[in-house]
Amino acid sequence: MPDTTAYTDILVADPAPHVRQITMNRPKQLNALSANHLNEIVAALELAAEDDEVRAVVLTGGEKVFAAGADLTEMAKRDIATTLKGTRDRAWEGVRKFPKPLIAAVNGYALGGGCEIAMHCDIIIAGDTAKFGQPEVNVGIMPGAGGTQRLARTVGKSLAMKMVLAGEMIDAESALRAGLAVEVVPHEMAVERALRLAATIAQKPPIAVRLAKEAVLKSYDMTLENGLDFERRAFTILLATADMKEGVAAFLEKRKPTFQGR
Ligand code: HXC
C-alpha cells in the first residue's frame, strides 16, 4: 500500500488481495473534479499501474454522488490560454491509458466529467440510485473528456444526443438497458459487487488480462482487420508466458492455478 496521507480529495485502500479501491471524497462539492482531485486520481492510478501487487482497481464515489462533473468554480476562471496548455487533457490521458482493469461502482449522480470518468472505466456497476448525465450544455459548454464519443459508441446516437443536447439524465435501469452499466444492484451493494468482480479478475493471469483489455479497447479505434491482427499477436505473446503453462497444467491436473504475472 502506498503512503496516501498526502491525498486530500481521494481515499485509497486495498480491501482485498490484489484489489485497490480509489474513492472520490470531496463530499461538500459533490465530488466535483477539480484539477487537484483529478490529479490525485491519476497519481493513484499511476501507483496502481506500477505496483505488481495490484491487479484490478475499483473507482467509486460517495453514497449520494459518484461525481458531479468538472469543478464549476474552477471552470468559471478558465480561459482558452490556460486550457490550451493541455494540463487537464494530460491528466485525462492518465486515466485513459491505465493498463489494468478499472471498475466503476456508481451511486447517485455521475454527471459531466463524472459520467465521463465512469465511461473511462472498463466496467460500470450501477447502484439503483445511479443517475448518468452530460449536462454541460446547461452551462454553455459540451462534454470535453470523451463524453460525446464514448456515449455514442456505447448507448447509440439517439440516446447520446438526448443526453448531450438536452442535458437529460438517465437512471440506472436505463443505463443498464442502454449498455452503459453492466449490472444494477441495490445501492448499498454497488461497491461490494464491484470489489467482488475486481477480486475475480485479480485471480486471473495478469498479463492475459492486460492484453485482453488492450485488445477490447482497440475495437473502438481500429478496423476489424487491424483489431484481429492485434488480437492474434497478443494471443501469440501469451503462449510464451509462464502463466499460460501454469493455467493449462493446472487444468489438466485438475487443480487451481497460481498465476504470477510472468
Ligand atoms: C462545483 C459543485 C458542482 C460542480 C455541485 N456543486 N456540483 N461545485 N462544481 N460540478 C456544489 C454546489 O455548488 C453546492 O455547493 C454543493 O455542491 C451541493 O450542490 P447542490 O446543487 O446544492 O445539490 P443538489 O441540489 O442535490 O443538486 C445536485 C446536482 C447539482 C444535480 C448534482 O449540484 C448539479 O446540477 N451540479 C452541476 C452538475 C454539472 O453541471 N456538471 C457538469 C459540469 S461541466 P454549496 O457551496 O452551495 O453548498 C463538466 C465538463 C467536463 O463536467 C469536461 C471535462 C474536460
Side-chain angles (χ1 to χ4, degrees), residues 127-188:
D128 53 12
T129 58
K131 281 193 166 29
F132 298 86
Q134 298 288 165
E136 289 91 338
V137 71
N138 295 335
V139 291
I141 50 175
M142 60 178 277
T148 59
Q149 304 305 298
R150 289 198 176 85
L151 257 191
R153 281 168 167 77
T154 308
V155 308
K157 180 179 125 182
S158 204
L159 181 53
M161 288 290 192
K162 186 173 85 160
M163 292 169 74
V164 171
L165 305 185
E168 281 192 9
M169 298 180 209
I170 60 170
D171 64 13
E173 284 300 330
S174 305
L176 179 68
R177 271 197 307 279
L180 183 58
V182 71
E183 289 176 24
V184 177
V185 297
H187 55 278
E188 65 277 12

Side-chain angles (χ1 to χ4, degrees), residues 28-30 32 68-73 75 88 92 109 111-113 116 135-136 141 144-145 169:
K28 279 199 188 122
Q29 295 82 9
L30 306 190
D71 190 313
L72 291 170
T73 55
M75 184 84 75
R88 205 170 164 89
W92 279 105
Y109 296 113
L111 302 180
E116 288 170 309
E136 289 91 338
I141 50 175
M169 298 180 209

